[in-house]
Amino acid sequence: MPLHASRAMLVTALAAAAVSPAALSAVAVPAAAAADNGTTAVSRGVEIPEFYNPPPTLPEADGDLVRTEPLPLGIGLTIPGIGSLPGTATRVMYKTTDNNGSPAAVTGAYIEPFARWGGAGDRPLVVVAPGTMGQGDQCSASLGLERPIFFNGRTVSVGYEDIGIYRLLARGVAVMVTDYVGLGATDRLHTYVDRVDGGHAVLDAARAARQVPATSVTSASRVALYGYSQGGGATGSAAELHPTYAPDVNLVGAYVGAPPADLRATARGIDGSALVAALGWTINGLAQSNPELRPILDENLNRAGKAALEDLSTACVGDGIVRYPFRRSSSWTVSGESLDDVIEREPTVKAIITEQKIGTIAPRIPVRLATGTEDDIVPHAQARQLAVDWCGQGAQVTYKAVVLPNLGDGLVTNHITPLLVDQTAAVTWVTDRVKGVAASSNCSTLPRQP
């Protein structure tokens, strides 16, 4: 839709800062792929380093390393004879199991901090689950550590998670960043906001960190999780899946920021916003995992919708905001219905979306759930409901409603600002958990909180 000049300027500015969420249904679009045979994958004119090409055979155990190499930090300082500030980074590839029970390669980065650990016990680890980066392999968080801002005229990516990562490193905490299934790794499309893929990738990142050469992290190290938006969904899922999938990980807490716990509610929030591109990423990702959705979406998506999904399969979050702001999903369907309406009348799609819901399993470790009361992108009501669901199952929840004025409907500002306002408190809460400080719960006060 046409934009006034001031609105267009705001959208362009958001492209350089956006964090984000999740959404909806399903049709996969093939992504450019390269096997581990010396060929190079290219995404929007960006050559993806050969490191990111998974080998044909992966290790047997979840969390086992496939390969590592030094990772130069885009913002850092190396002092001969002293060390690297804020730490020494290693690019990693490790094995996980996807939601179909198949092996999958995941890339990421481990950073050994320069700062000493002043707490008791072995140096702890925080696994960072990034917010929305997009779906192109050039958008991965590990590449964002190497090049915090990248623009080549065809794609723009911003390593906005670097801020939180560096704040954790400054406290002497080791950090492991996951790129998730298919983001970075060139063999498949990124399964954006897939509950199981995200949770497994986070937990296996903790296992992989113990194997990185020269790491100070051990099997006894306390581990905490940190994630906002897509990352909040991944850490929330990991907290639920931990006892059955990775009980060997010494998990002591999870920060779950603005989680897209209910994808249908999130889809309704995204539709028509500056971040409607996230609908396309979710559709693509769910169809990657559920091929039975492809004929349904072939039938329901029009030419414009199919072209948008193909384009978004290689896009970063900045690209999506600039190219598809304020679109309605009804413009992508044959019938003119919204994608939410399509879900409602397609039982196969509806069932798959229902399986993605977070909140049906009580975490056994303390969780801190934060949500902006004006967040309309990853809607506040469904994030608050996750806290209600967990509290009702006896989980130890610290619920934080970030109360701010409405900063503009559909502009992503109501979603980004709570992350920035609450970040110090979130980092402090996570640090306290890995220090061994006991967590409290405010579930009893939840009925009185917004």
Side-chain angles (χ1 to χ4, degrees):
M1 61 184 289
L3 301 175
H4 295 300
S6 59
R7 205 175 197 193
M9 289 175 63
L10 176 58
V11 172
T12 302
L14 287 172
V19 229
S20 116
L24 151 68
S25 81
V27 66
V29 180
D36 189 17
N37 58 8
T39 60
T40 301
V42 178
S43 181
R44 292 187 182 249
V46 181
E47 291 190 358
I48 309 302
E50 291 183 13
F51 180 94
Y52 291 83
N53 297 344
T57 303
L58 296 174
E60 183 69 25
D62 290 321
D64 273 4
L65 288 176
V66 177
R67 60 172 72 110
T68 66
E69 71 176 16
L71 172 64
L73 293 175
I75 301 175
L77 179 65
T78 299
I79 305 174
I82 296 179
S84 299
L85 300 173
T88 302
T90 302
R91 200 184 326 263
V92 302
M93 180 183 285
Y94 60 93
K95 185 256 185 182
T96 192
T97 295
D98 68 18
N99 68 357
N100 290 314
S102 300
V106 179
T107 56
Y110 172 82
I111 308 173
E112 179 77 14
F114 176 81
R116 72 177 187 87
W117 170 241
D122 295 337
R123 188 190 296 276
L125 173 73
V126 172
V127 177
V128 172
T132 296
M133 296 292 173
Q135 207 155 40
D137 290 326
Q138 79 279 12
C139 319
S140 67
S142 62
L143 285 173
L145 284 163
E146 183 175 0
R147 49 189 194 205
I149 299 176
F150 179 83
F151 177 70
N152 69 350
R154 296 178 59 187
T155 186
V156 57
S157 60
V158 180
Y160 60 81
E161 291 288 5
D162 297 1
I163 300 170
I165 292 167
Y166 279 41
R167 295 184 73 174
L168 288 163
L169 293 169
R171 299 187 180 210
V173 174
V175 173
M176 182 76 165
V177 184
T178 181
D179 289 335
Y180 302 123
V181 175
L183 187 61
T186 58
D187 62 331
R188 66 176 74 191
L189 198 65
H190 172 38
T191 50
Y192 180 71
V193 299
D194 184 289
R195 177 179 66 88
V196 173
D197 280 13
H200 285 184
V202 167
L203 292 168
D204 286 326
R207 288 166 158 160
R210 303 191 299 236
Q211 303 174 36
V212 175
T215 179
S216 57
V217 172
T218 71
S219 59
S221 293
R222 296 188 182 100
V223 179
L225 313 178
Y226 178 99
Y228 187 89
S229 194
Q230 180 186 0
T235 58
S237 172
E240 292 188 343
L241 297 174
H242 167 250
T244 54
Y245 183 76
D248 54 298
V249 174
N250 186 17
L251 192 61
V252 296
Y255 164 57
V256 181
D262 182 336
L263 292 192
R264 284 196 69 182
T266 305
R268 290 190 286 268
I270 292 168
D271 203 347
S273 75
L275 200 63
V276 71
L279 285 174
W281 294 322
T282 308
I283 294 167
N284 284 340
L286 290 179
Q288 167 74 33
S289 299
N290 303 276
E292 66 271 26
L293 296 180
R294 296 173 188 169
I296 297 172
L297 284 140
D298 281 343
E299 179 182 344
N300 283 280
L301 292 175
N302 60 24
R303 183 178 300 177
K306 292 173 182 177
L309 296 190
E310 183 175 5
D311 179 50
L312 287 166
S313 70
T314 59
C316 297
V317 64
D319 308 328
I321 291 177
V322 170
R323 293 174 66 88
Y324 298 94
F326 313 111
R327 298 282 182 90
R328 288 284 176 184
S329 65
S330 56
S331 69
W332 290 350
T333 64
V334 173
S335 64
E337 298 170 283
S338 71
L339 285 173
D340 188 60
D341 289 336
V342 173
I343 292 173
E344 184 61 32
R345 64 172 171 77
E346 290 286 354
T348 299
V349 183
K350 193 173 182 178
I352 289 171
I353 295 295
T354 300
E355 290 174 359
Q356 292 294 328
K357 192 174 188 301
I358 303 170
T360 61
I361 305 169
R364 297 182 189 174
I365 46 97
V367 293
R368 181 181 189 272
L369 194 156
T371 167
T373 57
E374 296 295 327
D375 194 339
D376 54 341
I377 300 296
V378 180
H380 166 67
Q382 60 86 44
R384 186 185 186 280
Q385 184 61 45
L386 176 58
V388 172
D389 292 342
W390 278 344
C391 285
Q393 297 170 64
Q396 189 174 1
V397 180
T398 299
Y399 171 75
K400 173 62 178 177
V402 183
V403 181
L404 295 166
N406 187 330
L407 300 173
D409 292 338
L411 297 179
V412 194
T413 44
N414 286 326
H415 181 60
I416 295 171
T417 308
L419 164 68
L420 303 175
V421 169
D422 188 54
Q423 189 174 70
T424 297
V427 168
T428 298
W429 187 91
V430 167
T431 306
D432 283 347
R433 301 293 77 74
V434 296
K435 283 182 177 178
V437 178
S440 59
S441 172
N442 63 356
C443 282
S444 63
T445 71
L446 193 52
R448 301 189 298 276
Q449 296 198 54

